[in-house]
Structures are given as C-alpha cells and as structure tokens.
Amino acid sequence: MTSTVTIPAKPGPVSFDLTKTALIIIDMQKDFLEKGGFGESLGNDVGKLFKAVAPCKAVLDACRNQDDVLIIHTREGHRPQEVCISKHKLSQTNNCIGKAGAFGRILIRGEKGHDIIPQVYPLESEVVLDKPGKGSFFATDLELILRAQNIENLIVCGVTTEVCVHTTVREANDRGFHCLVIEDACASYIDEFHAAAIKMVWAQGGIFGNVASSEELIKALQA
Ligand code: TIU
C-alpha cells in the first residue's frame, strides 16, 4: 500500500511515498544549541540556532502522526576514551573536545551536552544515531538502516545547515536518496551560510535535492 503526498518545494514539488520516507533530524544537541557547549567553544552565538527549534518540533510532531515515517535523530560526538577523534579535528576545534564544559565533557557521548534538547527529544521507538563526523553516513550504520527499511526519501532538519545538514544531504544524494530539506527547521550560526547552503541544495534543478518550508510539509502531510 502506498500513501503518497505531494509537497510544494523548490525548484519543484516532490511526491513522496511515506512508507519509503524517513525524517532525519540532525544534531539538535545541547552542545550546539546551549551556552557552554561545543558551538560556543568555537566562538559562535548559539542563540542563532533557536529559530529552528519550533519548526523542527512541528515537523517532528507531524511525522509522528504519520505511522509510516521512520524517525531518526543524529548526534555528533565521540567515545569517552577519545579514540575516534582525529588529531586534525581536535586541533581545528580549539582542542575543546573532551574538555569540561557547562554540560560535561564537550562533544562526548553520554555527557549531558551531547544529548538532544528536550523540545525534540527522541521517543523509545525512534532511531538515535551516534556519528563521529559531520555527515550521518560516515562511520555509522545509517545506510544499512535505510536500505533495510526500503527508504528512498529523506526529510532533513537540524543544525547546522552548511555543516552537518549539508554534509549529510550530499552523502545521501550520492547514495540515491531524494532529500527534502526543511528550510526553517534548519539553522546556522552564520546567516549568509544558511541562505547559501539552502540555495545550493535546490539550485541547478535541485542538484542535491529539494527545499520546502515546515508549513508546506505539514500542510501536505495533513491534507
Ligand atoms: N560548527 C558547526 O557549524 N557545526 C558542527 O560542527 N556540527 C554540526 O553541524 N552538527
């Protein structure tokens, strides 16, 4: 049985069979959204990301109402033993990974700062995917999960637009998954990067995928 929805999007509408669709929410972690975590340690104003929280929650709630949509939450982070961080990543991030922050050791699995913010906290039934890199496919079993569940389409939300969202969309596109990025459910510390990263997805006929607003998606799901 199919349950296909058509969603207005740039550069054109997309039709997704919801039984073959996953929502992937990228890295909505305290480490990126709260003061005293990884994002702030890199010199960013973490308040910039909060505008994505309500749209992300609205998309999550709408997808939770569709029994067919697989829901995946990702978390960027490293093992407590710090064995899966390259010297390069460490030095390029002010050597802050593993150091004490406001919510425990920065970007370390199991610490409070590594966990997802309460507004979009995963349910037991939802997949939580820990990843050591920016992309969600690198060094994870995401592709195995998607293939095993017959997923062809990804609805993508989260932070930050030009880093982990974009890397994931590029990885997914090369693997043949059709990405729909939800513009207002993503955010960046740097406004012009958000705008450019969003346009890069849908430009050139949709070179990496399509882009819709949370309202467009939710209306289509509720129709
Ligand atoms: N620094 C930055 O914008 N982002 C990251 O380091 N990771 C994610 O985007 N999740």
Side-chain angles (χ1 to χ4, degrees):
M1 207 182 85
T2 59
S3 52
T4 300
V5 293
T6 299
I7 305 147
K10 294 181 276 199
V14 294
S15 290
F16 281 180
D17 175 350
L18 296 180
T19 65
K20 296 181 176 177
T21 300
L23 168 68
I24 182 162
I25 302 184
I26 307 287
D27 300 359
M28 291 293 283
Q29 297 160 259
K30 291 195 177 79
D31 256 320
F32 294 101
L33 287 126
E34 303 277 356
K35 283 176 182 275
F38 182 63
E40 193 175 64
S41 298
L42 300 181
N44 295 303
D45 170 5
V46 294
K48 295 285 241 180
L49 302 189
F50 261 88
K51 58 169 102 58
V53 173
C56 218
K57 181 175 168 28
V59 168
L60 177 60
D61 287 344
C63 288
R64 280 176 175 164
N65 281 333
Q66 304 285 331
D67 288 340
D68 290 335
V69 177
L70 178 70
I71 297 176
I72 300 172
H73 304 255
T74 72
R75 301 185 297 201
E76 180 180 346
H78 298 277
R79 293 172 183 271
Q81 301 81 9
E82 299 184 34
V83 290
C84 60
I85 315 169
S86 67
K87 282 192 187 112
H88 171 73
K89 181 170 181 178
L90 201 54
S91 68
Q92 293 291 104
T93 50
N94 296 332
N95 289 301
C96 72
I97 300 171
K99 299 286 184 313
F103 299 99
R105 292 168 65 205
I106 289 174
L107 222 61
I108 296 293
R109 295 177 190 168
E111 300 288 335
K112 282 203 176 89
H114 176 261
D115 211 355
I116 292 170
I117 59 169
Q119 295 92 325
V120 291
Y121 205 76
L123 301 178
E124 279 288 319
S125 57
E126 296 168 357
V127 176
V128 177
L129 189 93
D130 283 323
K131 63 187 181 69
K134 304 305 181 193
S136 301
F137 288 84
F138 170 68
T140 73
D141 59 359
L142 178 59
E143 186 165 0
L144 175 63
I145 293 169
L146 298 179
R147 303 266 183 233
Q149 299 304 313
N150 294 316
I151 298 297
E152 295 177 358
N153 316 303
L154 298 179
I155 297 166
V156 189
C157 301
V159 297
T160 63
T161 320
E162 79 281 13
V163 182
C164 292
V165 171
H166 231 261
T167 307
T168 297
V169 167
R170 288 167 183 243
E171 289 177 323
N173 181 63
D174 276 347
R175 286 166 173 79
F177 298 101
H178 187 171
C179 291
L180 177 68
V181 177
I182 308 305
E183 182 165 7
D184 54 319
C186 297
S188 169
Y189 301 117
I190 303 160
D191 293 336
E192 61 266 38
F193 286 0
H194 172 81
I198 289 292
K199 194 164 181 185
M200 275 182 218
V201 173
W202 66 265
Q204 304 183 60
I207 194 81
F208 293 127
N210 293 67
V211 171
S213 69
S214 58
E215 197 185 336
E216 287 169 326
L217 171 68
I218 292 164
K219 267 192 187 155
L221 289 175
Q222 291 170 346

